Amino acid sequence: MAIEHSTHNEKDVVEAADITLLRRYQATFTQSREAILFFQHGRIFDCNPAALALFRIQDREQIAKLDIVTLSPRTQPSGQRSDIEGNVHIKQALNVGQVLFDWQMRDLDGRDFPAEVMLYRLDLPEGTVLQATVRDTSEHQAQRQALLQREQDLLEAQRIARLGNWISDFERGEIRWCEQIYQMFGRPQGERITHAIFMQAVHPDDRKRVQTAFDAAMRGAPYDITHRVVHPDGSVRTLHQRGQIEFSPDGQARRMVGTIQDITEQKRLEAELEHNAITDHLTGAFNRKRFDEEIEKALARRRRHSVSTALILLDIDHFKPVNDTHGHDVGDQVLVELTQLIQTSLRVPDLLARWGGEEFVLLMPDTGLSEAHHLAERLRQQIASHRFSVVGTITASLGVTTLQSTDCSHSSMKRLDEALYRAKHSGRNQVIEAPPIASVCDQPH
Ligand SMILES: Nc1nc2c(ncn2[C@@H]2O[C@H](COP(=O)(O)OP(=O)(O)OP(=O)(O)O)[C@@H](O)[C@H]2O)c(=O)[nH]1
């Protein structure tokens, strides 16, 4: 534009433009925060103040004595010799005009630092020279190193917490898992995961629940669900997932990000604690706490739906002499053996609990009095005919009753205890039915 509208002759205009360009270039060269060096045949012949500072060159006179190779350590971190490797880059710059590469540099104080180097070929009237723009990347590398370290720390923390993170990319139709999650699902690292593959891994009994939670999350609800996964080898793990949808400004669901924590061990411990809390440690039968819970539920069923529930109370006859003759440990073993014997006769909904000492109580849902009596008689015979280790034969007395609509747990157990008392006083080794009278609860509850 300046040339076209100029009133001066063309040569003057071009020279003026050249000078302007040169000034601008000189200003850039001098003020640049990046180190710029010019060299020809390996010898540096000019550099800007930033280069003087970066390479700790005290005095401009020194430049003429500097070889480009003196600004690098003998070898690069790759193990390559700097002069050989440097020549490869120089040749490339001379051939193609420019080349960018990472390079280990050395200043005149002997400090090595990483740099990013851009080499340009400049074809000047005096001949071809190379311009090197050097950017010290040590700070950048330190930041990268710190970032890598933080990532490592985070991964380690995730490994310890059995926690993994995932991203479900709806546009690409794939889910990105971290290393931990592949392990949680027992799948090979790096395998392409889609929603269908994920759902396939979810335990069949949990799939519907997971899909419902996912659909709700797509409408903006929080995604927070515990479910099981089945590994290809058949083993099952319990996972807790949390996630959140990210929407685009136009309201489209773009992706979902979330975490998964493997809580298998936690669940196992919880189950163990729960089991211990409701189990008699010696025999493995349920304890009184569990029986109390069950009888309350059965009483409620009895009142609401008139469903019959039967109870049997069983007490070993003359157990004291067993302990006195053979010792307490043998007595314990008899209690364990007896529990196993009774358990073989139970149906799935029946519940066996240790009522105390050598007394056991059976709660049988949906069972009438005659059916319960029949079972009690069968149990009595089984016990009497069983040969217990060390002690041989023993017998037991049993009381039977059914829950009445006016009963509470106390009144029903009192009636049952009276039946058992009569069995004991009628000669033991027998079953006595409590009379079918409706007891009225006499205990506050
Ligand atoms: N080995 C062992 N003995 C127990 C346990 N709990 C209670 N006993 C014993 O069970 C015996 C119960 O004795 P008693 O109540 O006199 O009754 P019994 O000798 O069975 O006589 P009857 O019930 O009248 O036929 C006592 O010797 C208790 O020490 C236990 O956990 N282990």
Side-chain angles (χ1 to χ4, degrees):
M1 295 276 276
I3 295 169
E4 276 175 33
H5 297 110
S6 173
T7 51
H8 300 284
N9 71 46
E10 213 168 78
K11 188 170 168 283
D12 286 348
V13 174
V14 171
E15 273 177 8
D18 275 354
I19 289 164
T20 312
L21 203 69
L22 194 67
R23 285 207 185 116
R24 260 195 222 150
Y25 183 76
Q26 268 176 342
T28 314
F29 177 69
T30 316
Q31 287 158 19
S32 170
R33 287 164 69 180
E34 285 183 340
I36 301 171
L37 305 105
F38 290 101
F39 62 99
Q40 197 176 30
H41 310 302
R43 293 240 147 246
I44 296 166
F45 62 88
D46 198 6
C47 71
N48 69 350
L52 293 176
L54 182 64
F55 290 101
R56 306 259 190 255
I57 304 168
Q58 304 291 347
D59 155 12
R60 273 201 164 270
E61 298 302 306
Q62 278 180 285
I63 301 171
K65 293 180 207 129
L66 287 178
D67 191 306
I68 191 72
V69 174
T70 56
L71 297 180
S72 306
R74 213 178 107 74
T75 54
Q76 289 296 306
S78 61
Q80 295 278 2
R81 272 177 50 180
S82 294
D83 53 351
I84 296 172
E85 190 71 5
N87 268 330
V88 172
H89 293 308
I90 288 171
K91 275 202 185 111
Q92 206 184 345
L94 289 171
N95 281 339
V96 296
Q98 64 182 56
V99 59
L100 177 72
F101 56 93
D102 288 324
W103 196 249
Q104 190 75 3
M105 309 244 48
R106 175 169 287 178
D107 67 19
L108 296 192
D109 290 347
R111 178 190 77 103
D112 289 353
F113 60 92
E116 190 182 76
V117 179
M118 184 81 185
L119 282 185
Y120 298 95
R121 187 191 66 209
L122 299 178
D123 297 314
L124 303 178
E126 299 82 12
T128 297
V129 299
L130 283 164
Q131 177 191 320
T133 306
V134 181
R135 196 164 61 85
D136 181 350
T137 55
S138 42
E139 203 174 305
H140 175 72
Q141 291 227 346
Q143 280 169 357
R144 251 188 69 167
Q145 201 57 40
L147 198 68
L148 276 174
Q149 186 61 47
R150 274 212 296 278
E151 265 176 30
Q152 286 292 330
D153 293 348
L154 186 68
L155 279 177
E156 185 60 8
Q158 288 192 344
R159 195 188 59 74
I160 293 166
R162 295 180 179 278
L163 186 75
N165 59 297
W166 52 267
I167 296 172
S168 186
D169 188 329
F170 301 140
E171 275 155 27
R172 291 176 177 219
E174 64 180 26
I175 302 173
R176 287 196 291 282
W177 280 352
C178 75
E179 211 179 297
Q180 285 285 324
I181 300 185
Y182 280 101
Q183 284 170 16
M184 289 178 202
F185 281 73
R187 304 198 76 102
Q189 293 290 332
E191 183 191 28
R192 186 172 182 266
I193 304 297
T194 60
H195 185 72
I197 292 174
F198 158 70
M199 285 304 287
Q200 199 94 49
V202 172
H203 192 288
D205 295 349
D206 296 348
R207 266 181 215 151
K208 204 168 159 216
R209 215 163 36 82
V210 171
Q211 189 61 51
T212 306
F214 186 80
D215 292 343
M218 289 296 277
R219 296 191 296 273
Y223 185 60
D224 189 329
I225 187 165
T226 296
H227 64 86
R228 291 160 298 167
V229 287
V230 184
H231 281 206
D233 67 5
S235 57
V236 175
R237 311 229 29 115
T238 307
L239 308 179
H240 178 208
Q241 292 215 49
R242 280 203 181 116
Q244 208 169 339
I245 297 270
E246 287 181 5
F247 293 97
S248 61
D250 62 353
Q252 292 288 316
R254 275 182 56 234
R255 57 181 207 163
M256 189 166 176
V257 292
T259 58
I260 302 186
Q261 189 167 23
D262 187 333
I263 56 165
T264 311
E265 191 57 16
Q266 188 183 322
K267 281 277 163 200
R268 194 190 61 74
L269 281 173
E270 275 171 22
E272 197 176 297
L273 281 175
E274 165 90 352
H275 180 261
N276 288 345
I278 58 169
T279 310
D280 172 57
H281 299 308
L282 175 66
T283 62
F286 286 115
N287 62 14
R288 210 158 156 161
K289 175 178 179 288
R290 177 66 204 279
F291 176 79
D292 287 344
E293 287 165 6
E294 268 327 290
I295 197 169
E296 288 305 332
K297 286 187 210 160
L299 283 163
R301 277 199 305 272
R302 176 72 184 87
R303 284 192 283 267
R304 250 182 277 127
H305 310 294
S306 297
V307 182
S308 177
T309 297
L311 297 174
I312 297 176
L313 189 62
L314 180 154
D315 187 290
I316 304 174
D317 297 330
H318 304 304
F319 192 54
K320 191 171 180 304
V322 171
N323 273 329
D324 294 348
T325 313
H326 304 285
H328 206 264
D329 286 352
V330 172
D332 279 357
Q333 188 50 40
V334 170
L335 294 172
V336 173
E337 247 180 280
L338 176 72
T339 307
Q340 288 163 355
L341 188 67
I342 301 171
Q343 267 159 347
T344 57
S345 298
L346 300 186
R347 301 161 309 174
V348 176
D350 299 343
L351 181 131
L352 172 69
R354 189 170 174 201
W355 185 247
E358 77 308 8
E359 255 184 321
F360 293 84
V361 63
L362 265 161
L363 185 143
M364 292 165 294
D366 300 320
T367 309
L369 191 59
S370 62
E371 199 185 339
H373 192 130
H374 184 74
L375 178 73
E377 181 53 30
R378 196 156 50 120
L379 279 176
R380 186 196 64 74
Q381 286 172 22
Q382 264 181 332
I383 294 165
S385 59
H386 183 80
R387 285 205 67 79
F388 286 81
S389 49
V390 185
V391 300
T393 50
I394 60 168
T395 60
S397 300
L398 300 94
V400 188
T401 193
T402 47
L403 293 179
Q404 306 299 309
S405 57
T406 52
D407 262 336
C408 65
S409 60
H410 182 259
S411 61
S412 56
M413 287 311 293
K414 193 172 163 211
R415 202 166 56 249
L416 196 58
D417 202 38
E418 281 162 7
L420 175 66
Y421 181 83
R422 285 203 285 126
K424 287 277 181 189
H425 286 269
S426 311
R428 298 183 172 81
N429 190 21
Q430 55 188 284
V431 178
I432 297 283
E433 254 178 46
I437 45 143
S439 327
V440 177
C441 182
D442 54 359
Q443 287 280 306
H445 59 280

